[in-house]
Amino acid sequence: MDAQENPVFSRAAAPLDLEPAARRIVALLGRVDGGGLDGPTPCPDYAVRELLGHLAGLATAFRDAARKDLGASTAVSPDAALPVLDDDWREALPRQLDEMAAAWRSPDAWTGMTRAGGVELPGEVAGAVALDELVVHGWDLARSTGQPYAAGEAELRSCEALLAPAAAGGPDGGADADAADGSDGGLFGVPVPVPDGAPLLDRVIALSGRRPDWRPGR
């Protein structure tokens, strides 16, 4: 299915600032110690080190997608191999996240067509996917390392608008969208039920196929 024919990709997104979501991840990094890198995450096939490696890869890929610099970083699906965390991640990852957020501040990033994870998609949808990556994987990292996490309402509404069509389509409804992420954690996986009146963050996390009450060991 072409990305533009998938209902997940038919929803235009207003340009949003990705910097707050990126900065929240950077703030979480300070409490990730070496021993915690092997700890579990809500992404079943990822330990913390692979989650951080995935964040580094997506930061570079979506930075280049925003710039329309379509090369190797935007061509390969992230699930082609388990992410590898570079030794200099403490210095490199904050810089990569800052560069990603800065690239999406350009109005041109949200127009025309681009590519991420080997998927061709409109710029405004790529921006929404990039924000969703930061919000959901930021939550993943916070839960994995025992830290609090909160996101702005505008960010969460954007994520909900992106994820809800995939959830409505069932297990296969977000197949093309999932290719833009490639995480085995099921970012566009089968939604998890939540109680009526659940907080917006919990609803977004549940739409991504994660249990909002996930903790290490549970």
Side-chain angles (χ1 to χ4, degrees), residues 3-93:
Q4 290 181 296
E5 297 173 359
N6 190 313
V8 174
F9 291 96
S10 65
R11 306 178 68 93
L16 290 170
D17 186 2
L18 274 61
E19 183 173 5
R23 297 309 311 174
R24 283 196 300 273
I25 293 173
V26 172
L28 295 169
L29 298 178
R31 290 187 58 184
V32 180
D33 58 30
L37 290 176
D38 293 321
T41 77
C43 306
D45 292 337
Y46 285 1
V48 171
R49 70 172 66 251
E50 282 82 37
L51 176 60
L52 294 174
H54 180 65
L55 281 165
L58 75 85
T60 299
F62 280 99
R63 177 201 67 193
D64 293 346
R67 296 173 177 174
K68 310 296 195 294
D69 183 8
L70 307 183
S73 67
T74 65
V76 179
S77 174
D79 63 354
L82 202 62
V84 175
L85 185 63
D86 292 337
D87 291 340
D88 64 345
W89 65 270
R90 288 194 183 276
E91 295 75 31
L93 184 52

Side-chain angles (χ1 to χ4, degrees), residues 7 16-17 23 26 37 43 53 56-57 69 96 99 110 112-113 119 132 139 152 156 177 180 188 201 208-210:
L16 290 170
D17 186 2
R23 297 309 311 174
V26 172
L37 290 176
C43 306
D69 183 8
Q96 292 162 332
E99 290 175 351
W110 298 81
M113 294 294 293
V119 178
D132 187 73
W139 180 90
L156 293 173
F188 290 84
L201 176 59
S208 77
R210 291 150 167 79

